Amino acid sequence: MRRLRAASAYVMRHVGMAGRIDCLATRDTEGRAGFVLVVHTAQHIPQQAREEIRLFFRRKLTELGELRGEHFMLTIRDGDDLSHAHRAHSDSSSARIASVVAAANHEDEHALPADQLADLRSAVRQRLHERREARGHTEYAPLHPAPLTDLGSLPER
């Protein structure tokens, strides 16, 4: 995997990309080996070009002899992805997340007007309130963190 990471860094430098690479070995349900490369870069990488970049990396890594038919996946985390993560709301509520998911998966292909989005939010809030009320009349108690204990050595296989 070190060789694959080094070859990937070489290909990155060749095309003018700068950043860090994480390389992970994978195995699918049928036992076939593969690799996942995660490229972290502060540069802007357009979403439309990422599939082309993945194909380029696969071809070049095969030409360099690092890939021999294994499954290969390339994930790019660019500056835009990283900045969106920093701008994300830390106090997002379940109602907001549910309404965003509902709006994104709405059957209508056109953008939802603001009043429909507000209706979806209020419907989600109402369902959450009803579930909380129903849960209040049961024996439900949220899980509490378990105290940590000292672990002994694991048995050898």
Side-chain angles (χ1 to χ4, degrees), residues 70-82:
E70 296 95 350
H71 291 281
F72 174 75
M73 188 171 112
L74 176 70
T75 302
I76 299 174
R77 300 284 311 218
D78 68 351
D80 292 338
D81 296 334
L82 299 174

Side-chain angles (χ1 to χ4, degrees), residues 21 24 33 50 52 57 61-62 64 88 98 124 135 145 147 149 151-152 155:
I21 298 175
L24 306 165
R50 293 184 185 201
E52 182 180 1
F57 266 75
L61 292 172
T62 301
L64 292 170
V124 167
R135 189 173 57 212
T149 60
L151 297 176

Side-chain angles (χ1 to χ4, degrees), residues 45-55 76:
I45 309 296
Q47 288 286 340
Q48 303 85 348
R50 293 184 185 201
E51 179 62 18
E52 182 180 1
I53 292 170
R54 185 190 68 76
L55 293 172
I76 299 174

